[in-house]
Amino acid sequence: MLGYYPLGAVALGFSMPIVASPEPEPDPEPELPDPEPEPDPDPENPDERNYAWLQAEVIDWLHRKDLTSKIPKFVTMAEARINRIVQARGMEIESTFSFASGIASVRLPVAFDTPIAAWVSDGTERRKLTGALPELLPRDAQAGEPLFWAISGAYLALDCPVDRARSVTMRYRGLLRLSDASPNNSILTKYPDLYLYGSLMAAAMFINDQERLQVWSAMFDTAVKELNRNESRARAIAPLRTELAGLLGSRCGNFYTE
């Protein structure tokens, strides 16, 4: 950059320092707006009632953030009790098991609890099988079309090996097993208070808070009674469906009455 000398200074032989022009200041970077915080889960929205939501609710009700790492254990304890005492339609599952030719048994899912009914199919029609105790299950070494089924340990067993590839569909009561990998189930969605009060009961026992244990136990028991009453009303419709099938007869086609 070029400087300048006053004329008088040049004439007298004086040397003057070169004065540089100031560099322009850069424009300030625009400020980015703060990101909007994610909204808290809406407890009134059933789609947002999941495993993470439940843990957050338990912490909020306990007012004990120091117990955060223990919350999954409290949920597991509550779930074990729910699995023992609750009989809800939402716990019923239908799974189809493939039997290759010559096979008479398959392993049951880990979450299997109590069998309800089973049907066999060769791809064309579905026929109901008759359940039996494992010690009374007829055994035939010759392959054929099965007529009976039983639960033998961790296996679904048929009375004979199948003569060709067949599938058996079983309806059964499954165990509730919440986790990060499986964060939802129908009971948590429809009856969130059941899970909440059960988890709080387990927490109260852990911290030895007898006063809150009594309160949350009473609330849990009330939630169970209300669930059972609601489920009983729903199941009372089943006989009407069976009677309707008989009245309509062949016009029903393959009317479902189970």
Side-chain angles (χ1 to χ4, degrees), residues 46-256:
D47 294 335
E48 296 188 10
R49 296 171 188 162
N50 54 31
Y51 188 44
W53 170 85
L54 175 61
Q55 293 181 77
E57 285 294 304
V58 174
I59 294 172
D60 190 37
W61 280 62
L62 281 175
H63 304 292
R64 290 282 302 270
K65 290 187 177 181
D66 58 310
L67 295 177
T68 298
S69 64
K70 303 292 185 183
I71 303 301
K73 292 184 178 180
F74 300 154
V75 173
T76 299
M77 296 299 293
E79 204 165 46
R81 187 170 188 182
I82 293 171
N83 280 327
R84 290 195 300 270
I85 66 175
V86 170
Q87 300 288 335
R89 292 165 298 151
M91 300 171 73
E92 294 181 6
I93 302 169
E94 273 201 11
S95 296
T96 299
F97 305 94
S98 297
F99 284 75
S101 178
I103 299 300
S105 64
V106 295
R107 191 170 185 86
L108 293 165
V110 175
F112 175 86
D113 184 41
T114 307
I116 299 174
W119 299 263
V120 64
S121 171
D122 59 3
T124 58
E125 63 177 350
R126 176 165 127 159
R127 180 177 55 79
K128 190 172 183 181
L129 297 173
T130 301
L133 295 174
E135 61 271 20
L136 300 179
L137 180 67
R139 302 285 183 176
D140 191 343
Q142 184 176 356
E145 183 177 0
L147 299 175
F148 300 89
W149 64 271
I151 301 301
S152 181
Y155 289 84
L156 166 60
L158 303 178
D159 58 318
C160 67
V162 294
D163 54 351
R164 60 179 181 270
R166 297 179 185 271
S167 62
V168 173
T169 300
M170 169 164 279
R171 187 188 307 147
Y172 60 92
R173 181 180 180 275
L175 296 174
L176 303 173
R177 297 167 65 92
L178 277 181
S179 66
D180 291 327
S182 180
N184 305 89
N185 64 47
S186 60
I187 302 302
L188 178 59
T189 298
K190 193 172 182 180
Y191 305 105
D193 52 340
L194 191 68
Y195 261 103
L196 176 61
Y197 300 143
S199 301
L200 291 172
M201 283 171 52
M205 287 187 285
F206 180 80
I207 61 178
N208 196 25
D209 189 329
Q210 295 300 318
E211 182 178 353
R212 286 200 283 184
L213 176 59
Q214 292 181 6
V215 172
W216 288 330
S217 294
M219 297 174 80
F220 178 83
D221 292 342
T222 298
V224 170
K225 291 177 182 178
E226 291 173 348
L227 180 153
N228 288 336
R229 186 162 53 245
N230 184 53
E231 293 293 321
S232 296
R233 284 197 300 265
R235 291 182 187 278
I237 300 174
L240 298 179
R241 296 171 61 189
T242 304
E243 293 167 8
L244 179 62
L247 291 173
L248 295 179
S250 60
R251 289 187 299 166
C252 296
N254 187 20
F255 195 88
Y256 180 73

